[in-house]
Amino acid sequence: MLKILFFARIREELSCSGLELQWPGSRLDLYALQEQLCVEYGESWRNVLTQENMIRAVNQQVVTDNCELNDGDEIAFFPPVTGG
Amino acid sequence: MLKILFFARIREELSCSGLELQWPGSRLDLYALQEQLCVEYGESWRNVLTQENMIRAVNQQVVTDNCELNDGDEIAFFPPVTGG
Amino acid sequence: MAMLENSSVTVHEADFDVAGLQRGLLSGLSEEGAIATFTGYVRRANDDRRVSTLELEHYPGMTEGSIKAIIDQAADRWPLLAASAVHRVGRLSPGDQIVWVGVASAHREAAFSACEFIMDYLKTRAPFWKKELGPFGEIWVSVRQDDESRAARW
Amino acid sequence: MAMLENSSVTVHEADFDVAGLQRGLLSGLSEEGAIATFTGYVRRANDDRRVSTLELEHYPGMTEGSIKAIIDQAADRWPLLAASAVHRVGRLSPGDQIVWVGVASAHREAAFSACEFIMDYLKTRAPFWKKELGPFGEIWVSVRQDDESRAARW
């Protein structure tokens, strides 16, 4: 299983705070997962998830490139942070 | 009248927290005043007041050179500060 | 990487008490000569937008973990005795406290530097998002370029 | 030279309450986005001397005036909304609070910089003197070279 989370503006634009996907049982990397979401949920999701300043985290660590995923991973998509 | 103040280690070394002097009625500068104190109170005062890192203030402003004094001035001698 | 034992990171909706948080940094051993703190407040106006409410969202788990990691990084760079961070989430109003960071050290240089370092990272890396609500409607706050360049200087 | 209207400088023997002092920096207009504070404490040991009592002496009048001047200098350099400084004198014990400086501004950069600037000057220019008492007898604290070089960087 993969847990996928969306925060802030991204959450609002997708009208979705998160979803769970069955682990495909084969190799899967972050960009393939993103492409899978874009295909499954359509053009509006593609527009959001491919935004230039999108931040992606795997298991609560920000990743700046593609990376291999594993069963049980938590993947998050969010805009630049504005805390403090 | 001149008000003369001593603080901290200087106060202890002189056993004096301050004194008042009649205004001489003529011109007086800071170094002349200091020399007058050294003459009046002796060698022990000279040793203290001529210490290399002595700080002098006139009317609560630190001065690094000699300066003209005026009737009513407040002159202070103290060691380097160690607040905070 | 060093682990600072006396450190805590809290994210919650409730307000916080700066005096109590500051006392929490003291060990009772009187080794602390210096505590530097920072408190962030909701401003009434931002870029001339009049703000009536601020909504703060975060990524539970990652927030706490990333701030803890930042504090440990700070403890690697400066000789710290204690550090904590508190960040509020939910709906806040102008004048409300948002964030508090406090750092204790023997001397002030380390306390100041680490407090500023933690705040810079908290502003640019910790997963919090602010939305401003007001007469203008709703707007997600965007990144201050200034914040990015401040964080990059460390 | 600018005069910062919301500023105060106090020297007294009594302890102080950091939360109350911090609240005193807020105007009620919610323009403050940031407050940076510094609290100095009496340490139990200094250069391995075990300190049982600290005696703090100052130059009444000049102390307040020189700190006020430092705050006004800070307000010239950074956009400040309020600043205060409290310094204790008399006999203090390890763990006691000695000094508090707090600065309010719209943004954190100004608050941090001004707070540190005021503290650096307070350590090197304001007429306070510390005497340490302990098993070693009495000793007037001497100037930390470090403090001098920190003040010189501004």
Side-chain angles (χ1 to χ4, degrees), chain B residues 8 11-12 60 74 79 82 84, chain D residues 57 59 87 128-129 131 140:
Chain B
R11 174 180 51 70
E12 286 189 347
Q60 307 190 352
E74 175 177 301
T82 53
Chain D
E57 177 174 339
Y59 181 169
H87 204 298
F128 288 100
W129 301 275
K131 182 197 267 185
W140 285 102

Side-chain angles (χ1 to χ4, degrees), chain D residues 21-60:
Chain D
L21 290 168
Q22 182 161 332
R23 273 193 303 276
L25 296 174
L26 297 170
S27 63
L29 299 174
S30 304
E31 290 171 333
E32 304 84 3
I35 290 185
T37 78
F38 178 84
T39 310
Y41 295 84
V42 181
R43 290 187 303 135
R44 187 186 47 172
N46 192 10
D47 294 342
D48 289 331
R49 287 189 300 275
R50 177 120 190 167
V51 178
S52 57
T53 301
L54 193 67
E55 276 184 12
L56 266 148
E57 177 174 339
H58 78 126
Y59 181 169

Side-chain angles (χ1 to χ4, degrees), chain B residues 4-6 9 18 26 46 49-50 58 62 64 75 79:
Chain B
I4 304 170
L5 300 169
F6 307 108
R9 187 170 47 72
S26 58
R46 184 179 301 279
L49 294 182
T50 57
V58 174
V62 169
T64 49
I75 296 100

Side-chain angles (χ1 to χ4, degrees), chain D residues 96-125:
Chain D
D96 283 353
Q97 305 184 127
I98 307 177
V99 61
W100 186 88
V101 169
V103 176
S105 181
H107 297 289
R108 75 187 185 291
E109 307 86 69
F112 270 123
S113 299
C115 187
E116 223 177 331
F117 173 85
I118 294 167
M119 274 307 305
D120 281 355
Y121 268 78
L122 209 152
K123 282 264 183 189
T124 53
R125 301 284 177 267

Side-chain angles (χ1 to χ4, degrees), chain C residues 15 40-46 49-56 88 90-98 131-136, chain D residues 26-33:
Chain C
D15 199 8
Y41 295 85
V42 181
R43 290 188 304 137
R44 187 187 48 172
N46 192 10
R49 287 189 300 275
R50 177 121 190 168
V51 177
S52 57
T53 301
L54 194 67
E55 276 184 11
L56 266 148
R88 293 176 70 189
R91 290 174 76 88
L92 301 176
S93 302
D96 282 352
Q97 305 183 127
I98 307 177
K131 182 196 266 184
E132 293 174 349
L133 290 76
F136 51 82
Chain D
L26 297 170
S27 63
L29 299 174
S30 304
E31 290 171 333
E32 304 84 3

Side-chain angles (χ1 to χ4, degrees), chain A residues 55-84:
Chain A
I55 298 179
R56 298 169 185 85
V58 174
N59 297 328
Q60 308 191 352
Q61 299 288 332
V62 169
V63 293
T64 49
D65 282 313
N66 197 9
C67 68
E68 204 66 25
L69 299 178
N70 294 294
D71 194 6
D73 280 353
E74 175 177 301
I75 297 101
F77 294 81
F78 50 81
V81 304
T82 53

Side-chain angles (χ1 to χ4, degrees), chain B residues 11-34:
Chain B
R11 174 180 51 70
E12 286 189 347
E13 288 175 1
L14 300 179
S15 300
C16 176
S17 63
L19 47 90
E20 293 189 342
L21 285 187
Q22 287 303 317
W23 178 246
S26 58
R27 291 178 58 139
L28 180 69
D29 65 29
L30 180 60
Y31 289 177
L33 168 70
Q34 179 176 309

